Amino acid sequence: MIKSMTGYGVGSKENEQVKYTVEIKSLNSKFLELGIRLPKAVSDKELTLRGECSKLIERGKVNVMISSEYTDQTAKASTINGDLLKKYYTQLQEIAFQVGDKQASLFDLALNMPEVVTNNEDVVDEEEGKILMAAFHQAIEKFNTFRLDEGKVLKSDLESRVKMILSFLLEVESIEGDRIPLIRERISQYMDDAVGKEHIDKNRFEQELIFYIDKLDITEEKVRLKSHCNYFLEALNATDSNGKKLGFISQEMGREINTLGSKANHAGIQQIVVRMKEELEKVKEQLLNVL
């Protein structure tokens, strides 16, 4: 089952202390372009989150936004170490007295000394980390479900377009029966008008005619194009999603369609080839969104 590279999912988990919400959005990209915004308190989880995204998202331009909300708004307030503050302040007073400086703002200096103020946002217990990861995996599950649903729409469209190319191929086969006889007749008439029947070496003319017509034969192109289309449909219905593989197959389809058009030497067939190309271009556009 193919997946779309466009995805969206939101996950939310909480306990009595904190609620984490994770939002994931993605657009198409050849590689994984990952941007993560998360609270400073859980910045140590970034590498873990990136590893999980690489495994579970694979490709796409992805934005992961994580927010936290605490039940007790003061739970993450900064803590002042009063004993340490007093000690610093007393020492600064003694030094100021010794040097005769009575104008210094000793309290501000003491407050900015190391380890006096502790930011509790930097402290996250194991339980809170588990809440975050649970919210993340819930978001990933919804995100991948979204991608699968979008993939079903893409699959239906791609399938119909490739089958349309196959139907055009049947049209080519239905009108190409008179192509070679008409080419033979046209060349023969040209030679008769140009040099006259009595001056034509019939054996040499037949050899050259066979050689020329062999170059215009499109049997191999038709067989290969049909084979590529069937392989595309087979890959489209595979259990895994492989947009790159489908892209390679569509390139091979394009080569055969181009050769078919250049060798056709038939207005009706060339018109059908143009319609094939139109459908193939739409296929390639859609494949840009396939994972």
Side-chain angles (χ1 to χ4, degrees):
M1 179 63 70
I2 69 170
K3 294 180 182 178
S4 169
M5 269 197 281
T6 301
Y8 180 78
V10 177
S12 182
K13 292 289 182 180
E14 62 184 301
N15 60 12
E16 62 279 0
Q17 294 178 335
V18 65
K19 176 182 179 181
Y20 273 100
T21 301
V22 179
E23 184 179 21
I24 305 174
K25 299 178 183 178
S26 73
L27 297 172
N28 60 313
S29 175
K30 289 184 178 180
F31 311 100
L32 178 61
E33 298 179 50
L34 186 60
I36 299 180
R37 291 175 56 189
L38 70 170
K40 184 179 179 182
V42 288
S43 58
D44 62 317
K45 297 291 183 183
E46 183 172 351
L47 287 178
T48 301
L49 291 168
R50 287 186 177 277
E52 290 293 292
C53 287
S54 297
K55 290 188 296 183
L56 302 173
I57 296 177
E58 298 177 53
R59 282 198 298 145
K61 186 175 182 180
V62 183
N63 285 316
V64 180
M65 289 158 285
I66 301 171
S67 61
S68 60
E69 182 180 343
Y70 290 91
T71 306
D72 181 1
Q73 294 299 322
T74 64
K76 291 298 177 178
S78 298
T79 301
I80 298 175
N81 188 329
D83 292 337
L84 190 58
L85 174 60
K86 292 174 185 177
K87 186 174 181 178
Y88 279 133
Y89 186 71
T90 301
Q91 290 178 346
L92 288 169
Q93 278 185 318
E94 292 174 356
I95 295 171
F97 178 76
Q98 292 172 8
V99 299
D101 184 1
K102 298 180 181 180
Q103 303 299 319
S105 180
L106 303 181
F107 184 82
D108 287 346
L109 288 173
L111 194 61
N112 289 306
M113 295 299 280
E115 299 183 15
V116 172
V117 179
T118 302
N119 190 344
N120 290 335
E121 288 186 356
D122 296 335
V123 181
V124 173
D125 58 26
E126 185 178 348
E127 180 62 26
E128 190 170 330
K130 289 179 179 178
I131 295 294
L132 165 62
M133 295 309 296
F136 171 77
H137 284 108
Q138 185 185 69
I140 281 286
E141 184 178 350
K142 292 181 179 179
F143 172 83
N144 282 324
T145 299
F146 187 102
R147 277 184 155 187
L148 280 170
D149 292 340
E150 289 290 304
K152 290 175 184 177
V153 177
L154 287 172
K155 177 179 178 292
S156 177
D157 185 71
L158 290 168
E159 199 168 42
S160 66
R161 296 192 185 283
V162 173
K163 286 181 177 179
M164 185 68 72
I165 293 173
L166 285 171
S167 72
F168 289 152
L169 191 56
L170 291 176
E171 288 186 36
V172 169
E173 293 174 346
S174 69
I175 67 172
E176 73 162 334
D178 62 345
R179 187 173 68 97
I180 298 301
L182 286 173
I183 294 172
R184 177 187 289 272
E185 182 180 343
R186 189 166 66 245
I187 294 174
S188 296
Q189 186 63 47
Y190 174 79
M191 291 297 294
D192 291 345
D193 295 342
V195 298
K197 288 185 178 180
E198 65 278 7
H199 298 106
I200 298 175
D201 183 336
K202 295 293 183 181
N203 291 330
R204 177 65 183 275
F205 175 70
E206 285 296 324
Q207 289 175 359
E208 294 294 334
L209 192 60
I210 290 170
F211 179 74
Y212 177 73
I213 289 175
D214 184 60
K215 284 188 172 183
L216 298 179
D217 183 66
I218 58 173
T219 302
E220 288 186 11
E221 284 73 20
K222 290 188 300 178
V223 170
R224 286 197 292 263
L225 178 57
K226 184 176 182 180
S227 175
H228 292 327
C229 287
N230 289 330
Y231 186 37
F232 186 97
L233 294 172
E234 180 185 329
L236 196 61
N237 287 284
T239 54
D240 60 332
S241 179
N242 196 331
K244 289 184 178 180
K245 181 178 181 179
L246 292 171
F248 295 147
I249 300 172
S250 70
Q251 289 176 11
E252 295 302 317
M253 291 164 60
R255 288 191 182 95
E256 300 307 328
I257 291 173
N258 287 333
T259 307
L260 193 66
S262 63
K263 292 175 69 174
N265 200 20
H266 186 286
I269 292 177
Q270 287 170 333
Q271 289 173 5
I272 296 173
V273 165
V274 170
R275 288 151 65 194
M276 285 182 176
K277 288 181 178 181
E278 287 177 350
E279 292 301 320
L280 185 62
E281 281 304 306
K282 292 172 184 175
V283 167
K284 289 180 177 179
E285 286 176 12
Q286 292 288 47
L287 287 177
L288 294 175
N289 294 318
V290 176
L291 183 64

